[in-house]
Amino acid sequence: MSATVGAPQQFKQPSRKGKKAWRKNVDVTEVQEGLDQVREEEIKGGVLAEKPSEELFILDPTGDEEVQRKVQKKFKSLRADEIIAQRSAISAVDSRKRPSNSRVTDGVIEPKTKKSRSDWVTREEWLRLKKVAREAKLDETSIQPSVVHDPWAMEAKEEQEFSFLEKKKPVVAPKTLSHAPISLAANGKAIPSVIKPKAGTSYNPSFQDWDELITKEGEKEVEAEKLRLDEQKREADRIARIEAAEGDDGQIKSDDESVWEGFESEYEAESMKKKRPERKTKAQRNKILRRKEAERKAKAEAKMKKREQQAAQAKAISKQIEENEKAKLAVAKAEESSEDDEPTLRKRPFGGRTP
């Protein structure tokens, strides 16, 4: 490979005063290297010397996080610095003395200076008007009062003939007009204007809907028949008791008369057999004491048994109350589920008034 061809030069030359030796004795290596460097920089994106400082340098205000972490790990900050570094979101109280014309007050006393109002007469203007009135010698007597009477107004003529009658009161809507309507259903719920018909009452219902409707109606009829038979049985028992209480002559004897007759007969028999009481022997007295002791024990046992029965009855009552509440809840749920059924109306009290 041939060597690089450059400008003629002579490194060891003591003098270059001759005109012929100028070209071959001038060293242009530095200039050539500078031109090559500029050419390379232009190829890579531009000459560095011509670029501004903003493109060459970057300001890093945050710093390297890794270096900061190492420094914090090595040198722990003081507790005082941590307390000072804590900043509250609420600004500090300003301790400066405010001027007298400041509009900031304590919220109770109004500021001395107010905005001027267009419909407000200032004190200076009021004093000026007062001075003008004083100079003109105007007083209140010279000012005519305003005329209140309207001569063209229609006077309301009251009829003196019927003045003793009470005046008609204006029509006032009753308070109940704003109240919600009272439901006539037994459960107190509102009855819809149009009740949704059952699927079984259709002209061509499905077998399942028709069977459910027939079963439900049949159960209602069975319950009604049971109630009718119970009522008939109670009426027959009442008539039988009345017939049994009648005498041979067809007259009914009261209970007081029958009891009085028995009492009189027993009293007469006792009065005939009554004897003088005799002195009891010791055996009889002991027998009476044993009988009284047995009666006392029997009474105590009966009392204890009665208490136990009352406790058991209280438990049964509480259990029955719980069952009734559960039954009521079940009935309420059943009523909510069966909204399609016709609601049962409550019984109206005497007088036709609804509560």
Side-chain angles (χ1 to χ4, degrees), residues 31-199:
V31 177
Q32 192 69 28
E33 289 177 356
L35 293 174
D36 294 341
Q37 186 178 358
V38 169
R39 196 177 296 110
E40 289 178 2
E41 289 178 358
E42 288 179 353
I43 291 170
K44 291 180 179 179
V47 182
L48 297 177
E50 296 177 356
K51 288 186 177 182
S53 300
E54 289 78 5
E55 296 183 6
L56 298 176
F57 303 99
I58 298 173
L59 295 176
D60 188 8
T62 58
D64 193 357
E65 294 181 358
E66 188 68 25
V67 175
Q68 188 177 4
R69 196 181 300 109
K70 288 181 180 179
V71 171
Q72 289 178 355
K73 188 175 181 181
K74 188 175 182 181
F75 303 101
K76 188 177 180 181
S77 60
L78 298 176
R79 178 61 180 169
D81 296 337
E82 293 179 0
I83 294 172
I84 293 171
Q86 292 177 355
R87 297 296 180 185
S88 176
I90 303 172
S91 59
V93 179
D94 192 3
S95 60
R96 294 178 300 169
K97 187 176 181 181
R98 300 186 183 278
S100 59
N101 59 353
S102 177
R103 293 185 179 274
V104 180
T105 63
D106 56 356
V108 179
I109 304 173
E110 296 183 354
K112 295 180 180 179
T113 57
K114 293 184 178 180
K115 291 183 179 180
S116 59
R117 294 171 56 180
S118 60
D119 57 344
W120 187 265
V121 180
T122 60
R123 180 174 178 78
E124 291 78 6
E125 185 68 15
W126 176 72
L127 292 173
R128 188 185 67 80
L129 295 174
K130 191 175 181 181
K131 184 179 179 182
V132 171
R134 194 184 303 110
E135 290 176 355
K137 296 181 180 180
L138 296 174
D139 54 356
E140 296 180 358
T141 57
S142 62
I143 300 174
Q144 295 181 358
S146 59
V147 179
V148 181
H149 176 66
D150 187 6
W152 304 105
M154 297 293 292
E155 296 181 359
K157 296 181 180 179
E158 297 183 359
E159 296 181 358
Q160 299 294 334
E161 185 179 357
F162 302 103
S163 60
F164 60 91
L165 297 177
E166 293 183 0
K167 294 182 180 180
K168 292 184 179 180
K169 296 180 180 179
V171 179
V172 181
K175 295 180 180 179
T176 55
L177 193 63
S178 59
H179 296 174
I182 299 172
S183 177
L184 296 178
N187 54 6
K189 294 184 179 180
I191 302 173
S193 301
V194 179
I195 299 174
K196 186 178 179 181
K198 301 174 185 176

Side-chain angles (χ1 to χ4, degrees), residues 137 246 297 322:
K137 296 181 180 180
E246 292 180 354
K297 289 182 179 180
E322 292 179 359

